[in-house]
Amino acid sequence: MRHVDEGTLHELLDGSLARAETVRVEAHLANCGACRARLDDAHALVRETADLILTLDTPPAPPLASRPSVLRRTRWPAAVGWAASITIAVGIGFALHGPMGATGTPAAAAADAASAPSVARSTAAEAAPDRAKGPRQDAVRRAGSTASAGGNTVSVKTAHPANAPLPSRSASAPPEVLRMHPSAAVALDARAEARTRHPDSNTITLEDAIQRLGGSIRLIDGLDPVSVARVPGSMVEGADPRRDAILVRYVDPALGAIQLAQQRILAADSLDALAAGPSGNVASPGTSAMPAVPMQEALSTVSWSDGHGFQMTLTAMAPAGSLAALRARVH
Amino acid sequence: MNDLITELFRQYHPSVLRMLIRRTGDPDRAEDLAAEVFARAFAAPPQNPRPWLFAVALNLVREDARRASRHGRRLQLLKAETPESTETPADAYDRVERAAGVRAALDRLSERDREVLLLQAEGFDYDEIAATSGLARGAVGTTLARARKRLVLAYHAEQEAGIRATR
């Protein structure tokens, strides 16, 4: 008999093939590896289609406005956190490597930042969709006192909403820390959120993350991860842009959404870290250039290397102090 | 007569409603359409109820879509009902987004492809699919095979577009 056509294979799988025809087709399949392979493909297709259609039965999501507050707080960092991470990372890129990718060390950058603080701001209106992708325009550079924690390099950077007066910076001043008002960022682009949280784009299992990190992972004590994702290192402050970082998302009842990014430090990174020395850069709230804004509205980032081969970055909509406390719970 | 109607409703309403929700993505609209389907069935009880009910339901969807299109009505895809669930926000987000991806993929198919997929998903055999959709019985398998491929391809294309957009 001729090979079994596609429609008949599906009819067989769907149980709609007449008995006599079923016997004939099965006899052919017993002797035809090619058709058996096609049957396997058809079977996989039938199952995948059935799964996809079942997905349509999913209960609808509540609209943003009626969600519990924890949900609302979770959603904006999905958009803002990413946008901010990207821009912060680029900003840090300036600090680390200079605007043209010139070599430099974190220590040098920190020293530069500390010795020549300059501040820029953008209004919420300026933070239009396209502008959000251009952190060089929408960044604020701010430097405060220098701090160290043990032998680890620590830097705390806080980006504030753009609703308080700040002196303008010159157009050429390299940005260090992005400032972006959450509401402005949320309004950036509805598609941005879908892009950044596409379920299949970067979500991985915890086991996969552990494997990628070489056998262990750092987590926040007392909090359950909401999701784990693999992201380009270039999107994470302090991370090696050439390698992926692992991003663990949490929701803390008090602090809202938290992102903990981590990456194994390779030998070359360790040398850089040693060269940088135990110094850090803290842009803490309350310095003279700081706007008087509610601290809980500020996006903070803490980066450090834990001394055991991990480069960590914590990001949350929380005061820097809370983030530092949270950092102590990362193990 | 009343017993017959009650039995018809009990036996087929859940399935018709589910198919309509899958087809429209709008639970409220699906409820309205299902009510209309059974109102018609009660007015003139069909001989072979299942294909008849689904054929009427799918016709109503098409008519309603044309009407909605004429009036420029925006179909509300997500309703303001908060599901009672213990799932995490991330899970809820992923679930809803996946459903949106499947819906977008389904929307890219032809009406015929959508119908055979949804009827088959309701457990229709090929005779019933033919009777409901108007397809020749011998064309059902081929149509289903093609529709399945197109749905999966369209869904993966939606995913690809999403991934590309994140880069």
Side-chain angles (χ1 to χ4, degrees):
Chain A
M1 107 179 237
R2 290 187 302 126
H3 287 305
V4 185
D5 69 65
E6 200 72 14
T8 304
L9 290 176
H10 281 252
E11 197 167 350
L12 177 70
L13 291 166
D14 289 331
S16 278
L17 200 60
R19 183 68 203 146
E21 184 73 357
T22 302
V23 170
R24 221 159 52 84
V25 168
E26 285 179 347
H28 175 82
L29 288 168
N31 296 307
C32 180
C35 281
R36 276 201 306 277
R38 289 172 55 234
L39 183 70
D40 286 347
D41 290 345
H43 190 218
L45 185 62
V46 167
R47 287 178 56 174
E48 184 171 6
T49 314
D51 284 348
L52 289 179
I53 290 174
L54 280 177
T55 306
L56 294 171
D57 297 340
T58 186
L64 209 53
S66 70
R67 284 172 190 235
S69 61
V70 67
L71 279 179
R72 280 204 302 277
R73 297 195 69 176
T74 308
R75 288 177 66 87
W76 80 256
V80 182
W82 274 106
S85 293
I86 295 166
T87 45
I88 287 171
V90 172
I92 293 305
F94 276 107
L96 294 178
H97 305 295
M100 302 305 290
T103 56
T105 65
D112 172 56
S115 62
S118 62
V119 180
R121 74 183 187 92
S122 64
T123 65
E126 283 174 335
D130 290 338
R131 297 293 298 275
K133 295 167 188 136
R136 296 180 69 166
Q137 290 93 21
D138 289 348
V140 57
R141 178 179 179 182
R142 186 169 53 238
S145 59
T146 300
S148 64
N152 301 334
T153 302
V154 179
S155 67
V156 179
K157 301 176 194 316
T158 305
H160 282 268
N163 59 356
L166 287 168
S168 298
R169 68 171 169 86
S170 68
S172 61
E176 182 179 316
V177 179
L178 168 81
R179 45 188 282 97
M180 182 187 295
H181 193 284
S183 61
V186 167
L188 288 182
D189 183 353
R191 288 167 303 176
E193 184 166 331
R195 283 200 297 269
T196 53
R197 288 286 294 117
H198 200 278
D200 299 307
S201 62
N202 54 24
T203 302
I204 58 174
T205 64
L206 191 59
E207 290 72 26
D208 192 10
I210 291 169
Q211 195 177 0
R212 287 171 184 279
L213 286 168
S216 65
I217 192 167
R218 301 291 187 258
L219 297 170
I220 301 175
D221 279 352
L223 285 180
D224 292 326
V226 172
S227 69
V228 183
R230 180 169 58 89
V231 299
S234 59
M235 300 174 89
V236 177
E237 175 179 346
D240 179 354
R242 297 161 298 184
R243 295 182 285 129
D244 283 348
I246 299 299
L247 191 70
V248 186
R249 297 189 180 95
Y250 295 89
V251 178
D252 180 85
L255 302 178
I258 296 161
Q259 295 185 346
L260 175 67
Q262 55 195 291
Q263 211 179 36
R264 274 278 189 191
I265 300 174
L266 298 181
D269 301 332
S270 304
L271 290 175
D272 286 348
L274 281 174
S279 64
N281 177 26
V282 177
S284 59
T287 56
S288 60
M290 297 302 295
V293 295
M295 285 310 299
Q296 64 270 23
E297 290 301 305
L299 177 69
S300 300
T301 297
V302 188
S303 292
W304 74 99
S305 59
D306 73 350
H308 300 284
F310 275 82
Q311 174 65 35
M312 315 292 303
T313 300
L314 255 178
T315 306
M317 278 285 279
S322 301
L323 214 56
L326 200 62
R327 186 197 151 218
R329 289 163 55 192
V330 175
H331 297 292
Chain B
M1 179 67 183
N2 273 346
D3 286 351
L4 181 69
I5 290 170
T6 306
E7 179 58 21
L8 202 65
F9 190 85
R10 189 194 64 75
Q11 195 173 348
Y12 296 116
H13 184 266
S15 179
V16 168
L17 181 61
R18 181 170 55 233
M19 188 278 290
L20 284 168
I21 292 174
R22 288 172 173 174
R23 173 67 186 83
T24 63
D26 184 341
D28 287 352
R29 185 171 160 233
E31 288 270 12
D32 291 347
L33 292 171
E36 175 66 20
V37 170
F38 283 91
R40 292 189 187 190
F42 298 160
Q47 290 292 319
N48 189 7
R50 196 154 89 134
W52 187 93
L53 290 168
F54 280 81
V56 169
L58 289 168
N59 276 331
L60 286 176
V61 170
R62 286 192 290 270
E63 287 171 17
D64 194 52
R66 277 196 292 272
R67 228 179 5 250
S69 172
R70 274 203 302 275
H71 295 155
R73 189 175 91 193
R74 295 297 298 246
L75 300 180
Q76 190 182 350
L77 296 180
L78 301 176
K79 294 293 180 185
E81 292 167 16
T82 304
E84 293 295 326
S85 158
T86 56
E87 71 180 343
T88 66
D91 287 346
Y93 194 94
D94 289 351
R95 173 178 59 74
V96 171
E97 193 162 270
R98 185 168 147 84
V102 178
R103 173 144 311 287
L106 200 63
D107 286 346
R108 288 165 67 164
L109 303 188
S110 70
E111 192 67 45
R112 171 148 292 174
D113 284 352
R114 269 196 297 270
E115 288 183 7
V116 294
L117 285 172
L118 294 177
L119 292 173
Q120 198 281 329
E122 285 305 318
F124 275 48
D125 63 28
Y126 283 21
D127 290 328
E128 289 176 307
I129 292 175
T132 308
S133 67
L135 269 175
R137 168 64 175 80
V140 174
T142 311
T143 306
L144 251 180
R146 205 172 43 222
R148 283 167 167 155
K149 271 184 193 149
R150 286 173 177 162
L151 178 67
V152 169
L153 283 175
Y155 178 67
H156 289 305
E158 290 286 329
Q159 285 184 303
E160 281 297 311
I163 291 170
R164 269 202 306 279
T166 61
R167 287 179 181 155

